[in-house]
């Protein structure tokens, strides 16, 4: 039975869509760009870095962020935005010349001739993506591959951080777009942050200068609901002692809390899921503990230790699939030490294996394979290519 509220929502959607169809006949604004990240969750990832660099190199481009009503509180002060589904949102989607997203713009839109759409993606693919997910029943059941292909058909450019990504995107997202093998703008900060910047971030997180900060950031699991950590962070912190602090960051699919430790800078286990910038957490951390998360590929830019902790290797491979075995120990595939139990994880840190020469050698090979374009200047390259901003002539 329809309620009054549901009828009002339906009528409002119809009115907005009608207005949008009218706006599609307006001329495109050559100086308007709409940005979106993680299905309109706010300012983040590659689009955020591109937006910041565009404000510097192309100040004539007015950047507006698309954000859902549930996440509008995440918008930084002074950053223009439109709420998904609102009249200003549809007006912006209809008239912007430039569209930048690391996922998609929910609600659907009609891409017009003259609009330029940059798909930045939001990670290097380790787990299966796009059309490759058809081979996994649980994934295929939830996906609409027709919609995926229709979305890909809107892209003009697809951004890559490495040749591996370019090859995967080309196969799983078939389309006529151009590849931009320019690196990930979100990773620029790993090359440009100063020691003072890092010290400030650590201080804000309550990390003592003499403490070793471990960032535990696992990916989500398609085969289970909610965040269930595969390591006991309290035990890890307790057994390693007061020299260590463990930062726990749950995947954004699970909301703003990992449900462990605390969010205040006290104690040795901190829930940092709600922190607005994962890049700052990486800068603050002396080592990363992760599993199949694409964060490993970004963190490798810092050339700091990475420990792969994955107790559910076989189950994950069966339910989601992987393009290569991150836990194989082979150079180029594995970024560092590998553990499968909490006891093994503790020993990796107690024995110093996490920062041993063998682990460093694995990390070097991993970086060479997956970070060849990242050098601190990716955002500039992308902005100049996408917004057609010429490079300044060399000074005489």
């Amino acid at each position: 039975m329809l309620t009054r509220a549901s009828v009002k929502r339906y009528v409002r959607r119809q009115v907005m869509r009608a207005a949008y169809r009218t706006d599609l006949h307006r001329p495109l604004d050559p100086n308007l760009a709409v940005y979106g990240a993680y299905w309109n969750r706010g300012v983040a990832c590659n689009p955020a870095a591109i937006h910041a660099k565009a404000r510097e190199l192309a100040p004539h481009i007015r950047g507006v962020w698309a954000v859902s009503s549930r996440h509008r509180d995440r918008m930084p002060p002074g950053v223009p935005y439109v709420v998904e589904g609102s009249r200003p949102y549809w007006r912006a989607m209809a008239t912007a010349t430039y569209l930048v997203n690391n996922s998609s713009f929910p609600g659907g839109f009609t891409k017009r001739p003259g609009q330029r759409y940059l798909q930045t993606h939001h990670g290097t693919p380790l787990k299966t993506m796009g059309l490759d997910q058809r081979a996994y029943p649980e994934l295929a059941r939830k996906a609409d591959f027709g919609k995926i292909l229709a979305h890909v058909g809107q892209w003009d450019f697809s951004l890559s951080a490495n040749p591996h990504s370019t090859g995967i995107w080309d196969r799983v997202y078939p389309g006529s777009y151009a590849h931009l093998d320019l690196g990930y703008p979100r990773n620029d900060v790993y090359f440009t942050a100063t020691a003072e910047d890092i010290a400030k971030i650590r201080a804000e997180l309550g990390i003592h200068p003499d403490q070793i900060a471990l960032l535990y950031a696992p990916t989500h699991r398609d085969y289970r609901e909610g965040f269930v950590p595969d390591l006991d962070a309290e035990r890890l912190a307790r057994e390693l002692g007061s020299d260590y602090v463990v930062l726990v960051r749950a995947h954004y699919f699970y909301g703003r809390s990992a449900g462990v430790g605390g969010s205040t800078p006290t104690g040795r286990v901190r829930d940092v899921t709600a922190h607005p910038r994962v890049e700052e957490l990486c800068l603050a951390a002396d080592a990363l503990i992760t599993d199949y998360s694409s964060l490993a590929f970004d963190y490798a830019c810092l050339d700091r230790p990475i420990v792969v902790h994955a107790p559910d290797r076989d189950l994950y491979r069966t339910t989601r699939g992987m393009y290569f075995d991150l836990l194989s120990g082979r150079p180029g595939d594995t970024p560092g030490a590998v553990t499968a139990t909490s006891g093994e994880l503790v020993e990796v840190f107690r024995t110093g294996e996490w920062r041993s020469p063998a682990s460093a050698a694995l990390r070097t090979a991993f970086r060479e394979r997956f970070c060849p374009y990242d050098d601190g200047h990716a955002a500039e390259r992308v902005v100049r290519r996408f917004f057609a901003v010429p490079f300044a002539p060399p000074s005489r």
Side-chain angles (χ1 to χ4, degrees):
M1 181 177 177
L2 293 176
T3 64
R4 180 177 297 180
S6 63
V7 171
K8 287 180 65 175
R9 286 194 297 270
Y10 172 78
V11 171
R12 184 178 185 278
R13 284 196 300 269
Q14 294 303 106
V15 170
M16 291 298 104
R17 296 297 293 186
Y20 174 59
R21 288 191 292 270
T22 299
D23 287 338
L24 289 174
H25 297 285
R26 293 177 177 272
L28 293 178
D29 184 337
N31 297 322
L32 178 61
V34 177
Y35 296 87
Y38 299 116
W39 297 273
N40 293 354
R41 281 178 166 86
V43 180
C45 191
N46 292 313
I50 294 169
H51 178 220
K53 185 58 68 172
R55 293 174 70 177
E56 173 189 336
L57 298 179
H60 61 286
I61 300 294
R62 294 180 291 106
V64 174
W65 281 83
V67 63
S68 73
S69 57
R70 291 180 299 133
H71 299 291
R72 64 193 304 172
D73 63 306
R74 293 183 174 183
M75 294 302 298
V79 176
Y81 68 90
V82 289
V83 175
E84 176 189 333
S86 68
R87 182 74 179 90
Y89 171 82
W90 287 115
R91 171 69 62 84
M93 293 301 297
T95 59
T97 294
Y98 304 100
L99 304 167
V100 181
N101 208 307
N102 75 352
S103 49
S104 63
F105 291 101
F109 71 97
T110 301
K111 182 167 177 282
R112 300 173 59 184
Q115 287 188 314
R116 291 160 61 88
Y117 190 165
L118 168 60
Q119 172 57 244
T120 75
H121 305 281
H122 53 272
T124 289
L126 168 64
K127 46 185 175 270
T128 54
M129 303 292 289
L131 297 186
D132 281 351
Q133 295 182 356
R134 292 176 296 183
Y136 297 87
E138 184 64 19
L139 301 178
R141 181 178 63 83
K142 300 176 182 177
D144 185 328
F145 295 104
K147 285 186 177 180
I148 289 174
L149 291 176
H151 179 222
V152 173
Q154 297 171 328
W155 302 353
D156 294 293
F157 302 98
S158 171
L159 186 62
S160 285
N162 47 64
H164 164 78
S165 294
T166 302
I168 297 296
W169 301 147
D170 202 41
R171 187 181 74 251
V172 305
Y173 298 126
S176 59
Y177 54 83
H179 290 287
L180 298 185
D181 297 331
L182 302 176
Y184 266 1
R186 71 182 185 186
N187 291 344
D188 285 354
V189 67
Y190 299 139
F191 298 89
T192 60
T194 65
E196 291 74 18
D197 294 332
I198 296 171
K200 182 175 182 292
I201 295 169
R202 285 172 62 94
E204 290 172 348
L205 290 168
I207 303 170
H208 192 274
D210 295 330
Q211 281 185 311
I212 296 172
L214 308 178
L215 174 60
Y216 173 50
T219 192
H220 73 285
R221 300 296 192 275
D222 298 287
Y223 63 82
R224 67 188 179 204
E225 297 294 329
F227 177 63
V228 181
D230 285 312
L231 68 79
D232 186 336
E234 296 285 355
R235 175 190 172 186
L236 179 64
R238 183 173 62 252
E239 297 206 24
L240 292 182
S242 59
D243 289 342
Y244 288 79
V245 60
V246 181
L247 310 176
V248 180
R249 185 176 181 86
H251 192 274
Y252 62 85
F253 279 2
Y254 299 128
R256 306 190 190 189
S257 173
V260 298
S263 58
T264 56
T266 59
R268 293 203 305 277
V269 176
R270 319 273 172 78
D271 185 346
V272 293
T273 304
H275 195 283
R277 294 199 64 197
V278 70
E279 293 85 6
E280 291 189 355
L281 299 178
C282 289
L283 287 169
D286 297 286
L288 173 68
I289 304 171
T290 190
D291 43 25
Y292 322 103
S293 171
S294 64
L295 190 61
F297 302 93
D298 299 338
Y299 193 82
C301 292
L302 287 166
D303 198 19
R304 298 179 190 174
I306 300 171
V307 177
V308 181
H309 180 70
D312 62 342
R313 171 184 186 172
D314 292 337
L315 180 57
Y316 192 88
R317 185 161 46 192
T318 300
T319 57
R320 180 63 192 251
M322 293 185 283
Y323 291 118
F324 60 92
D325 190 354
L326 190 72
L327 294 85
S328 68
R330 291 189 297 267
D333 285 358
T334 305
V338 175
T339 64
T341 69
S342 294
E344 290 175 357
L345 184 62
V346 170
E347 285 305 301
V348 158
F349 287 98
R350 278 182 173 168
T351 62
E353 183 185 352
W354 65 290
R355 52 185 175 187
S356 67
S359 293
L362 286 172
R363 187 170 69 251
T364 296
F366 191 80
R367 290 183 70 218
E368 289 175 351
R369 180 181 179 187
F370 293 110
C371 309
Y373 311 141
D374 288 324
D375 58 2
H377 301 286
E380 179 177 357
R381 288 191 292 269
V382 172
V383 166
R384 292 193 184 281
R385 177 71 175 83
F386 184 60
F387 295 108
V389 178
F391 284 88
S395 58
R396 295 184 181 275

